[in-house]
Amino acid sequence: MNSSVFDSNEKDMSWCPGCGNFSILTAVKKALAELELSPDRVVTVSGIGQAAKLPHYLATHYHNGLHGRALPTATAIKAANPLLTVIVASGDGDIYAEGGNHFLHAIRRNPDITTIVHNNMVYGLTKGQASPTSQRGFLTPIQVQGVTSEPFNPLTVAISLNAPFVARAFAGDIPGTSAILKRAIRHRGYALVDILQPCVTFNQVNTFHWFRENSYYLEESHDRSNREEAFRRASEVDRLPLGIFFEHEGRPTFEESCGVFQDDARPLFRRRVDREKLGALIDSYRA
């Protein structure tokens, strides 16, 4: 399948020239095309931010909602129709700050969705405030003496909560990012792909060059099934490892656990509403 089937008609691109979001968009299209997913079977979900505009530029169904609320919406979409491929695409501020609580509980629930986080270590839409992943000492118009808080490490948090698929990619490597995304989308259960990307306007420290100099790929011999080793490698901060840190099957997904599809695999929209049973339920609360 040619990736152009995922080209949208949206011509008004709001990203800055050179933004890492372009590379991520290309990698997502490439992954979806190589998986031969039909655009009408894919839903992308986002919150607020520059990264959250990615679904606007992708020819799939999409929902662009409130700041930090992409994950519960995506969980509900998948629970209503497990036949869909559901992907969350948003930024480090949206997922790890405003949506931080949802991030923790999405991992615990384990819906079969893929979360792609554009991690540029800064709030781009609101003009350059520190995000949860900003490095110590990073200067912004708000943090004029530099960031003092410990950077949030999404990978170690996800591994500690036993997320079944945890990976990190780099927007400067489109083929490598696309390969990781394909594996994440195919994985059954919650998948996190944190993608390092530069913000060319508001982060002059963590540039394409900086990420290339300060990252490397995990060795082929890395044991993805070893949770303790995955946590240790994800804890590295001097140079940031790339690749799939942790991957395991076996946890029941949220859709399997909620009981709705235990006796009937049809998506909810294909089922007839039993008005008699619904009426009895409503009446039971009137007594």
Side-chain angles (χ1 to χ4, degrees), residues 79 82 253-268 271:
T253 65
F254 176 75
E255 308 83 75
E256 293 168 336
S257 302
C258 65
V260 177
F261 301 101
Q262 189 170 356
D263 301 318
D264 187 346
R266 291 177 301 167
L268 300 188
R271 303 185 189 184

Side-chain angles (χ1 to χ4, degrees), residues 23 46 124 193 215 267 280:
S23 302
S46 64
V193 182
S215 66

Side-chain angles (χ1 to χ4, degrees), residues 65-88:
L66 299 174
H67 211 350
R69 305 296 184 261
L71 284 170
T73 304
T75 300
I77 292 170
K78 187 68 180 184
N81 187 353
L83 301 179
L84 294 171
T85 296
V86 181
I87 298 170
V88 170

Side-chain angles (χ1 to χ4, degrees), residues 18-21 23-24 92 117-122 131 133-135 138 168-173 177 194-217 237-242:
C19 176
N21 286 329
S23 302
I24 296 174
D92 48 310
V117 182
H118 305 220
N119 185 357
N120 58 10
M121 304 181 179
V122 72
S131 82
T133 57
S134 295
Q135 304 295 293
F138 182 62
R168 181 192 280 137
F170 169 46
D173 178 8
T177 297
D194 183 80
I195 304 181
L196 303 175
Q197 63 141 127
C199 174
V200 296
T201 301
F202 295 109
N203 187 342
Q204 302 302 315
V205 177
N206 308 110
T207 62
F208 271 117
H209 177 76
W210 187 92
F211 282 124
R212 284 197 179 92
E213 291 293 311
N214 291 278
S215 66
Y216 70 97
Y217 276 98
V237 293
D238 291 337
R239 293 185 72 216
L240 302 172
L242 306 171

